[in-house]
Amino acid sequence: MNNNFKLDLPYIAGLFDGEGSIYYKQIIEKRKTRKNPSKVWKIRMEMSMTDKNVMELVHETLGCGTLKERRFLKPYAKNWKKQYRWQCSHRDALYVCKLLWPHAIVKLHKIEQIIDHYEPDIQEVNDNIINLALERERKKHDR
């Protein structure tokens, strides 16, 4: 893909409102390394589409998560179009939520749940507005 071309965040937010999903839930999980089951948070954002170019641009613009071809195992799916899934989880999901928050409509409640999960001290509406340039710099330094 062309690294010089980036999608606008309002476009990605609208696309995610229509095609994306957010999984935010606390579950009890048994782990091999622990004797007893424990509560863990499952936080994941994903979006699937058949247009590979759009999904690659979303992935490159956001700069996090994974993009893979979705495999269908059922025999009746052999004539289906290929589908591509972008997904991210935990702190990457927080980063994406902060980017999409000012533009989201349908998924706004779930996006705010993830932001509040990681940053519970932010209470005022104006405190949730972020400086995108600073967030991108922070993201570069984290890698």
Side-chain angles (χ1 to χ4, degrees):
M1 290 300 304
N2 183 358
N3 288 336
N4 296 328
F5 184 77
K6 301 288 183 189
L7 294 175
D8 292 331
L9 289 176
Y11 176 80
I12 295 174
L15 199 60
F16 191 80
D17 270 348
E19 302 292 331
S21 67
I22 296 176
Y23 186 76
Y24 175 79
K25 189 173 183 179
Q26 188 175 35
I27 64 168
I28 296 175
E29 184 175 86
K30 175 73 173 116
R31 295 186 179 180
K32 293 178 183 177
T33 58
R34 295 188 181 168
K35 189 175 185 176
N36 297 323
S38 59
K39 290 182 178 181
V40 294
W41 281 98
K42 296 289 184 179
I43 300 171
R44 183 176 64 241
M45 300 175 75
E46 62 182 48
M47 181 169 48
S48 297
M49 291 181 69
T50 58
D51 191 334
K52 184 178 181 180
N53 291 334
V54 172
M55 294 305 292
E56 286 176 341
L57 284 170
V58 167
H59 184 233
E60 289 175 8
T61 301
L62 295 175
C64 65
T66 59
L67 178 63
K68 295 180 181 177
E69 183 181 330
R70 189 172 174 193
R71 303 279 183 199
F72 297 103
L73 302 177
K74 303 289 182 185
Y76 56 80
K78 67 180 179 180
N79 295 325
W80 291 1
K81 280 183 163 183
K82 288 184 179 179
Q83 198 175 76
Y84 301 92
R85 178 187 288 162
W86 169 85
Q87 62 184 16
C88 70
S89 61
H90 305 310
R91 292 285 177 175
D92 282 344
L94 171 65
Y95 169 74
V96 173
C97 284
K98 285 177 156 185
L99 294 177
L100 301 185
W101 179 82
H103 314 287
I105 297 171
V106 177
K107 305 282 192 295
L108 182 60
H109 179 67
K110 286 287 189 181
I111 286 173
E112 287 178 341
Q113 281 183 321
I114 292 174
I115 292 172
D116 290 342
H117 176 84
Y118 286 106
E119 298 177 354
D121 297 334
I122 297 176
Q123 296 298 321
E124 296 180 27
V125 174
N126 291 336
D127 287 344
N128 279 354
I129 297 174
I130 62 167
N131 183 332
L132 296 179
L134 289 175
E135 279 297 315
R136 286 190 181 116
E137 276 300 312
R138 185 188 66 77
K139 186 70 177 170
K140 286 180 187 175
H141 291 297
D142 289 346
R143 290 184 178 189

